[in-house]
Amino acid sequence: MEVFIHTLRYFVEEKLPSGVSITDLPDFSEMNKLYSNLNLQTVSKTYLSYADFQRYGKFIHLFYNLKLNRRNLMNTNDYMEQPADIDELDEKILKLITQNARIPFLEVARECGVSGAAIHQRVQRLFNIGVVQGSEFIVSPPKLGYNTCAYMGIYLDKAKYHRKVVEALRNIPEVVECHYTTGQYAIFIKIQTKNNVHLKQIIDNELQEIEGIARTETFISLEMDFKRQLPIR
């Protein structure tokens, strides 16, 4: 129980009593076991003064309800994808093939000063480790009659509708991008339509019919100034 209170104080005040190390604090699985054997009356009467209970008591429930994990709070590496292990040759190859996906491997080899077989092996490895996820031909929307590009912020009735709404958006071909975002919108999408009338039809007849969408805000792009690949450094 004492370590539970220490952890509680560390979470609230970001400091520990003298002689207690951060490594002495339990992870969530241990905290959960401790919590399951507690009740607020026992904590308030046995372990905390009334003043401390007033200060810390509500956080006991917070630990349980949010399933707080100390390790995740202190080390973002636990939930962030780590960069792939690539060297200078990989970076040079990436710069060449992202500028022109149709460039022959032999030309890449000449630019890099290595054999064509080495380039083939390197590119295959970049695919295998997920750095390169594919290649595609990029079409011009206006050449195909799609002259209106719009971005839309979507508000949901409840957060639980997110997955269901995304699946419904996936079935609308004109929705070409979909992002789960922070901020005022739950979802942010990009729509490519033939004209403003077509856009209005998509909004009225398809988007507004999706269960879970509360309302939307639409921003029409007047012109795309530039678009580019990530910098490879």
Side-chain angles (χ1 to χ4, degrees):
M1 180 62 214
E2 190 174 4
V3 295
F4 184 93
I5 302 303
H6 289 336
T7 307
L8 205 58
R9 287 199 167 108
Y10 181 78
F11 175 66
V12 179
E13 299 180 353
E14 297 185 350
K15 64 182 181 181
L16 291 168
S18 177
V20 178
S21 167
I22 197 170
T23 57
D24 297 328
L25 301 183
D27 61 18
F28 172 71
S29 61
E30 293 171 323
M31 286 291 291
N32 200 26
K33 291 176 184 177
L34 287 169
Y35 180 88
S36 65
N37 295 321
L38 297 178
N39 62 67
L40 294 181
Q41 186 176 6
T42 300
V43 172
S44 61
K45 286 184 176 180
T46 309
Y47 299 100
L48 293 175
S49 67
Y50 180 76
D52 279 346
F53 176 68
Q54 290 289 91
R55 188 173 188 182
Y56 300 120
K58 63 182 180 180
F59 289 99
I60 294 173
H61 284 308
L62 188 63
F63 269 109
Y64 182 75
N65 293 333
L66 297 183
K67 300 188 181 299
L68 199 59
N69 187 317
R70 175 182 62 85
R71 292 172 298 183
N72 280 352
L73 283 176
M74 299 176 190
N75 186 4
T76 56
N77 291 337
D78 288 346
Y79 54 87
M80 289 183 66
E81 186 172 350
Q82 296 302 298
D85 182 19
I86 61 175
D87 58 20
E88 290 184 7
L89 177 56
D90 290 325
E91 291 178 356
K92 192 168 184 178
I93 293 170
L94 285 170
K95 287 178 182 178
L96 291 167
I97 65 176
T98 54
Q99 290 171 3
N100 179 9
R102 301 181 69 186
I103 186 172
F105 281 177
L106 287 178
E107 186 174 338
V108 176
R110 282 194 295 270
E111 291 284 341
C112 296
V114 296
S115 68
I119 295 299
H120 186 275
Q121 292 172 356
R122 288 284 186 140
V123 171
Q124 186 59 51
R125 176 179 174 275
L126 292 171
F127 271 102
N128 293 341
I129 64 177
V131 174
V132 177
Q133 297 184 338
S135 58
E136 60 184 1
F137 290 100
I138 301 173
V139 300
S140 170
K143 295 294 185 181
L144 296 177
Y146 287 82
N147 295 295
T148 296
C149 173
Y151 295 87
M152 181 179 294
I154 297 175
Y155 295 86
L156 300 181
D157 286 322
K158 294 181 180 179
K160 69 177 183 179
Y161 288 115
H162 172 258
R163 190 177 300 276
K164 185 176 182 180
V165 169
V166 169
E167 287 306 312
L169 292 171
R170 198 187 302 274
N171 292 326
I172 303 175
E174 290 83 0
V175 177
V176 295
E177 287 185 31
C178 179
H179 301 267
Y180 185 33
T181 63
T182 60
Q184 59 181 327
Y185 309 118
I187 299 171
F188 203 75
I189 62 175
K190 178 181 179 181
I191 308 176
Q192 202 81 48
T193 59
K194 294 183 176 180
N195 49 45
N196 290 352
V197 174
H198 185 198
L199 174 62
K200 186 176 184 300
Q201 290 174 347
I202 296 293
I203 295 172
D204 292 344
N205 301 332
E206 299 194 53
L207 291 172
Q208 297 295 349
E209 295 299 316
I210 298 175
E211 182 183 3
I213 291 182
R215 61 190 179 93
T216 62
E217 290 185 6
T218 304
F219 311 88
I220 294 178
S221 171
L222 299 178
E223 182 180 12
M224 181 175 68
D225 288 324
F226 68 87
K227 179 180 179 181
R228 61 188 174 194
Q229 291 276 7
L230 286 170
I232 300 169
R233 298 169 182 168

